[in-house]
Amino acid sequence: MSILITGGAGYIGSHTCVELIEAGKDIVVIDNYSNSCSESLERVKKITGKDFRYYECDIRDREGLEKVFAENEIEAVIHFAGLKAVGESCQKPWEYYDNNIAGTLVLVDVMRKNGCKKMVFSSSATVYGEENQVPFVETMKTGTTTNPYGTTKLYIENILKDIYNADNEWSIVLLRYFNPVGAHESGLIGEAPSFPNNLMPYVSQVAVGKREFLSIFGDCYNTPDGTGVRDYIHVVDLALGHVKAIDFALPRTGVEIFNLGTGNGVSVIGLVKAFEEANNVSVPYKIVEPRAGDVAYSYANAQKALEILGWKAERDVKKMCEDTWRWQKNNPNGYAN
Ligand code: NAD
Ligand code: WQD
């Protein structure tokens, strides 16, 4: 029996493939390579020394999915596939709703027709919205999302809850990630955005000399140094959280939500300083206008994952910075070389 990983060639997916294989699981990957390439999967094979099947397949492609289910015995799905750029989602809402929501509907339909009713889904801390106060707890009511990307995550959570309510044979785990950063210690896989969306890729591109300076979006938030505070989590810790989540989902039915964060907040300037110190590099920055939709604080209450999954983030901010830098230095053009 295998676990199907949708979007497995991507940033979090590729790291999760490594940890699943290291934990002795059989995996099959699908990806349409809209934001990745198969080289990341070849590197997963290199890191683990294990072979596995991967397919170029879109989650909206019913026939393609049927073929994957026919050729493999899939017992559960870890569903990463999706578009994730907040700004782009405001320009292309239709594409985001189609890819993320319509795609999930096709996937769920093919799963149930094949008797596979276990899914771990990549949700986001963005579903807490602007109304809730930190630390965010799973029991809080979800908030108002500020962009179509966030709305797709909220809708998919609700869709999956309804799917379970109508058919109690499903086992669904919704993982709300905070801010994933870092890379595998080998320096072979990491985040390779064609255009960065998040803070850490900008920081490392400034450090490597690809950009002149970092623009910090506002220093007048009600935080200790005025810059936004986030819960950065090492991608390998996040990946290990998926191994725990799949082991939790397999023998059960139900819907369960877990925050995957460290529970610690770090400011933008705090992350820049940590990166400079960890790697002995300089990251010049300029303070610019705040970015629309940003909140002052976002960090997790990470207790539930500890108590129920036995999972806790172990890697500190220094390690996040060191591993990001190793990946960036070894692969200045991502997987392109
Ligand atoms: P990523 O873009 O690196 O990975 C997503 C993968 O899905 C890519 O390889 C892409 O090619 C693939 N994909 C997209 N649409 C597809 C489709 N229709 N069919 C098949 N494959 C498709 O992003 P990531 O950072 O690894 O994120 C993985 C998941 O986690 C996403 O669902 C994302 O929304 C969610 N998430 C990410 C973050 C973050 O900050 N990185 C935070 C919270 C949640
Ligand atoms: C972090 C901090 C910025 C870039 C987003 C999504 C969220 C989730 C994770 C997917 C903020 C500041 C950033 C820059 C800066 N993704 N910043 N200069 O906004 O917390 O969360 O990614 O689900 O849904 O909204 O992450 O990395 O963009 O920003 O000053 O060039 O860095 O203002 O305080 P964010 P981020």
Side-chain angles (χ1 to χ4, degrees):
M1 298 290 268
S2 300
I3 297 163
L4 176 64
I5 318 294
T6 75
Y11 172 46
I12 305 169
S14 55
H15 288 81
T16 302
C17 288
V18 169
E19 299 309 324
L20 287 166
I21 293 170
E22 306 276 359
K25 316 273 184 203
D26 287 326
I27 63 163
V28 176
V29 172
I30 62 168
D31 204 297
N32 68 356
Y33 305 129
S34 57
N35 195 37
S36 58
C37 57
S38 59
E39 175 61 18
S40 62
L41 296 170
E42 289 302 320
R43 297 201 186 176
V44 170
K45 291 184 181 180
K46 198 170 171 186
I47 293 168
T48 59
K50 293 267 164 60
D51 198 13
F52 58 89
R53 275 191 200 162
Y54 59 81
Y55 296 78
E56 181 168 355
C57 176
D58 193 296
I59 51 168
R60 292 162 296 181
D61 173 5
R62 190 178 286 274
E63 277 180 20
L65 284 179
E66 286 289 5
K67 181 172 181 282
V68 173
F69 274 85
E71 291 180 1
N72 302 279
E73 266 192 88
I74 308 291
E75 62 178 337
V77 175
I78 305 184
H79 179 27
F80 293 103
L83 298 175
K84 65 158 183 177
V86 169
E88 184 187 59
S89 78
C90 300
Q91 312 303 320
K92 298 181 178 174
W94 188 89
E95 284 75 4
Y96 273 67
Y97 290 124
D98 179 53
N99 194 83
N100 294 4
I101 299 181
T104 300
L105 290 176
V106 175
L107 174 66
V108 164
D109 196 33
V110 173
M111 284 176 68
R112 64 182 179 177
K113 284 183 175 146
N114 284 276
C116 174
K117 296 185 180 179
K118 295 178 188 300
M119 178 187 277
V120 173
F121 172 65
S122 300
S123 189
S124 168
T126 193
V127 302
Y128 289 108
E130 292 177 311
E131 298 91 332
N132 287 301
Q133 297 298 310
V134 288
F136 298 138
V137 189
E138 294 87 342
T139 47
M140 284 173 167
K141 272 184 98 168
T142 48
T144 311
T145 50
T146 54
N147 55 76
Y149 164 73
T151 306
T152 69
K153 292 293 170 193
L154 188 56
Y155 283 8
I156 295 169
E157 282 201 0
N158 289 334
I159 289 167
L160 294 175
K161 287 176 192 165
D162 286 342
I163 298 280
Y164 169 74
N165 289 337
D167 177 356
N168 291 171
E169 288 180 4
W170 278 87
S171 174
I172 292 166
V173 175
L174 308 174
L175 297 179
R176 294 179 177 162
Y177 312 156
F178 280 72
N179 290 60
V181 297
H184 192 263
E185 207 169 25
S186 62
L188 286 172
I189 56 172
E191 187 169 17
S194 41
F195 192 85
N197 298 296
N198 298 109
L199 177 61
M200 190 63 117
Y202 276 114
V203 169
S204 59
Q205 289 198 358
V206 172
V208 85
K210 273 191 160 185
R211 290 169 195 274
E212 210 183 320
F213 59 88
L214 172 76
S215 296
I216 294 186
F217 301 141
D219 67 351
C220 48
Y221 288 102
N222 187 17
T223 61
D225 65 21
T227 64
V229 168
R230 296 291 180 272
D231 186 339
Y232 298 98
I233 173 167
H234 196 294
V235 66
V236 172
D237 279 325
L238 194 63
L240 289 165
H242 290 74
V243 178
K244 296 282 189 183
I246 201 76
D247 282 341
F248 175 83
L250 281 174
R252 283 185 184 73
T253 58
V255 182
E256 211 63 62
I257 304 174
F258 296 101
N259 286 339
L260 292 185
T262 65
N264 302 318
V266 176
S267 73
V268 179
I269 288 180
L271 190 72
V272 168
K273 296 287 167 221
F275 195 93
E276 290 183 325
E277 272 169 36
N279 299 314
N280 200 19
V281 291
S282 163
V283 180
Y285 65 80
K286 287 184 186 169
I287 306 293
V288 301
E289 286 298 299
R291 184 173 65 177
D294 273 354
V295 292
Y297 282 100
S298 168
Y299 57 86
N301 174 319
Q303 265 320 102
K304 185 177 173 188
L306 177 61
E307 281 163 19
I308 297 182
L309 298 179
W311 172 89
K312 184 170 170 279
E314 306 280 1
R315 291 158 181 79
D316 62 12
V317 175
K318 181 167 183 274
K319 175 85 177 138
M320 299 177 204
C321 294
E322 287 167 352
D323 289 343
T324 300
W325 185 229
R326 187 179 308 107
W327 156 253
Q328 173 72 57
K329 266 190 316 187
N330 293 354
N331 308 268
N333 300 312
Y335 293 108
N337 299 336

